[in-house]
Amino acid sequence: MNSRICKSKCLCSSNCLSHQKNQVTSNESVHGSDLAVQYLSTYNVCVEQNQVCKCDLQTTNVDDDHYHGNQAANCSFTHAVINMIGMLIGLGQLSTPYALQSGGWISAFLSVGLGMVCAYSSHLLGKCLDKNPKARSYSDIGQHAFGRKGRVLTTTFIYIEIFMALVSYTISLHDNIIRVFFGTHLTLAWAKLSTSQLLTLIAVLIALPSLWLRDLSSISLLSFGGILMSIIIFSTVACTAIFGVVKANHRVPALNLHNIPSISGLYIFGYTGHIVFPDLYKGMKDPSKFTRVTIVSFTIVTLLYTLLAFMGAKLFGPEVNPQITLSMPPHLIVTKIALWATVLTPMTKYALEFAPFAIQLENNLLPQSMSSRTKMIIRGSVGSILLLIILILALSVPYFEHVLGLTGSLVSTGVCLILPCVFYIKIYWGQIPKPILVLNLIFIAFGSFLGVFGTISSSKSLIKKFMKAHSA
């Protein structure tokens, strides 16, 4: 599968020039990193078959209200499906077996239902783009619906999701790296840090220089590494089940109703990709097929999540870890591969996730008269400080399932369920048939219910675990 980001006016001698694709096909799926891809896509970057071509860089303010002009759209139906699947599958796959075991096998219907509703809300984003051809991003749709306040609201949700996703990735790094270096003991006389914390600090410091990258092509290649890691993780879990290394003989409970609010955030986090769907829509040769793309993509992803959830729950039962890689037998080679993939994934994400902040900082907040070298120093310094803050938060609150569930309930529910329905109703007000209007209002109420109760449940669990750990 090609990893390709091509934009207009790209002066390259490679095959990528002839297409000048207006699409984001880096298949990034960290649900926050999708936005980074979208921001990167406003620059002239070409990455095709691991060949990087030099392009003329033309900065574009993605928050500008004006239309950026018509650009070639050559993404086929099949390519769009592959792209959307790649955008969806990511960090959420680690927690699906835990979510199923905690909620019971009946909760799989909730996961499937959320997949269907998120597919529908993706369709609504396409309808909103149809109404305003000048809109090119999720924030543009928000502005079309509610003006400047709508843009501010959507941008706030987007950046919070990116930040919280990075915290979750760093927690995952912390949890898995000690398994990779099992038996290692590190101490610093002046720092009261555990071995796992020191190893996490070292890993983050190794990844830190990537935040100083200005070469967007290099950043895009880092994102391809993250995609590869996600594929490896899924494959290793599947191998554990297929080859009978662990007997799948555990019983999954029917329903644990009291756990549903907290696991709903875990489920919905796996379906977040809406931030970049507008760009995928604009990159299609035939945008009228976008709805079919969402149906096919969400169906495949939902089946994969469901399969992985039942595999993990049947393999490990009540002992299943919130991160499936931590439940796999430590002596197996596939486990070691999965652990390394999980450790390397966050290290490939930091630069891509920080890209939206860096671009906004350089284009809108720093004086244009400032030299490129000074801008690079400021951008790199700010990125380093933010990453260290994220590291401190991750080490202070190392509870993966609760942070991920809180992210899904607090932010992803709004991005994937509530806002697309609200925007659609506002933009098409007076043109929507009453049954469709009622359906959207039901989805808004459903999303609000899950968001509120999921946030309360995840917050309580997080606080309770945090207090318990610090009182011991």
Side-chain angles (χ1 to χ4, degrees), residues 372-408:
S372 297
R373 180 180 178 83
T374 304
K375 287 183 178 181
M376 181 193 71
I377 293 174
I378 294 176
R379 185 183 68 247
S381 299
V382 171
S384 300
I385 292 171
L386 282 175
L387 185 54
L388 292 177
I389 292 173
I390 287 169
L391 173 63
I392 293 171
L393 284 174
L395 295 181
S396 302
V397 192
Y399 311 118
F400 176 82
E401 68 275 25
H402 303 309
V403 174
L404 196 68
L406 181 61
T407 304

Side-chain angles (χ1 to χ4, degrees), residues 212 240 436:
W212 293 69
T240 304
I436 302 299

Side-chain angles (χ1 to χ4, degrees), residues 261-336:
S262 59
I263 68 166
S264 63
L266 297 176
Y267 278 140
I268 197 169
F269 190 86
Y271 295 112
T272 54
H274 295 59
I275 294 171
V276 80
F277 287 170
D279 196 83
L280 179 61
Y281 174 93
K282 289 294 183 179
M284 293 185 63
K285 285 188 292 189
D286 185 1
S288 66
K289 295 181 179 179
F290 181 75
T291 298
R292 288 173 55 197
V293 169
T294 61
I295 293 173
V296 173
S297 301
F298 275 88
T299 299
I300 293 174
V301 169
T302 301
L303 288 174
L304 287 175
Y305 281 161
T306 305
L307 177 62
L308 183 60
F310 276 99
M311 275 196 306
K314 292 292 289 181
L315 285 171
F316 306 109
E319 303 302 318
V320 67
N321 195 280
Q323 298 179 70
I324 186 63
T325 51
L326 299 180
S327 294
M328 299 170 67
H331 62 280
L332 298 178
I333 184 64
V334 290
T335 301
K336 298 182 188 301

Side-chain angles (χ1 to χ4, degrees), residues 400-419:
F400 176 82
E401 68 275 25
H402 303 309
V403 174
L404 196 68
L406 181 61
T407 304
S409 298
L410 180 64
V411 188
S412 301
T413 302
V415 173
C416 297
L417 288 182
I418 301 173
L419 291 181

